[in-house]
């Protein structure tokens, strides 16, 4: 059995250099909230003001695995977000994550 979590990682941009600011500004319309989805690779959304952002992930775990908890999903989302942001060279601060077990949506 597989456990599916939807994880949202929120944060704020920090110390963006002019080049990163320009690139993010040019592509802001492609990264607005209305284009977001929960995917394994993650969806990066932010607005033109370049203050805050979020990344949305859909993470799957074997239900009997040690890492199948909500806390583990939140940490996995944070790890993926940091890897993405570091890889792009985007400075960030105040990262936090929340995870929702999708099976809980149908429980009483």
């Amino acid at each position: 059995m597989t456990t599916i979590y939807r994880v949202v990682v929120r944060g704020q941009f920090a110390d963006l250099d002019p080049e990163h600011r320009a690139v993010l500004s040019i592509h802001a319309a492609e990264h607005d909230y209305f284009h977001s989805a929960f995917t394994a690779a993650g969806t990066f959304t932010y607005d033109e003001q370049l203050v805050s952002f979020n990344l949305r992930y859909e993470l799957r775990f074997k239900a009997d695995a040690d890492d199948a908890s909500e806390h583990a999903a939140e940490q996995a989302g944070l790890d993926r977000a940091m890897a993405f942001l570091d890889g792009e060279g985007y400075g960030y601060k105040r990262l936090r994550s929340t995870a929702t077990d999708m099976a809980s949506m149908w429980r009483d």
Side-chain angles (χ1 to χ4, degrees), residues 3-76:
T3 303
I4 300 170
Y5 288 96
R6 287 192 169 176
V7 180
V8 178
V9 179
R10 292 175 178 83
Q12 295 179 327
F13 290 109
D15 304 321
L16 292 174
D17 62 33
E19 184 177 316
H20 283 116
R21 227 172 234 295
V23 170
L24 287 166
S25 292
I26 289 168
H27 297 286
E30 301 163 28
H31 294 275
D32 73 5
Y33 179 78
F34 296 108
H35 290 106
S36 66
F38 289 92
T39 66
T43 301
F44 183 45
T45 62
Y46 58 91
D47 64 23
E48 294 175 355
Q49 295 175 340
L50 303 179
V51 174
S52 59
F53 60 84
N54 73 58
L55 288 133
R56 294 171 180 253
Y57 297 98
E58 183 174 285
L59 304 179
R60 296 170 182 252
F61 299 90
K62 296 277 188 199
D64 57 350
D66 292 337
D67 62 354
S69 70
E70 187 173 305
H71 177 72
E74 290 172 352
Q75 188 59 52

Side-chain angles (χ1 to χ4, degrees), residues 9 55 57 75 77-87 92 95:
V9 179
L55 288 133
Y57 297 98
Q75 188 59 52
L78 283 171
D79 293 344
R80 287 182 185 208
M82 288 186 286
F84 168 77
L85 295 163
D86 291 341
Y92 55 89
L95 287 184

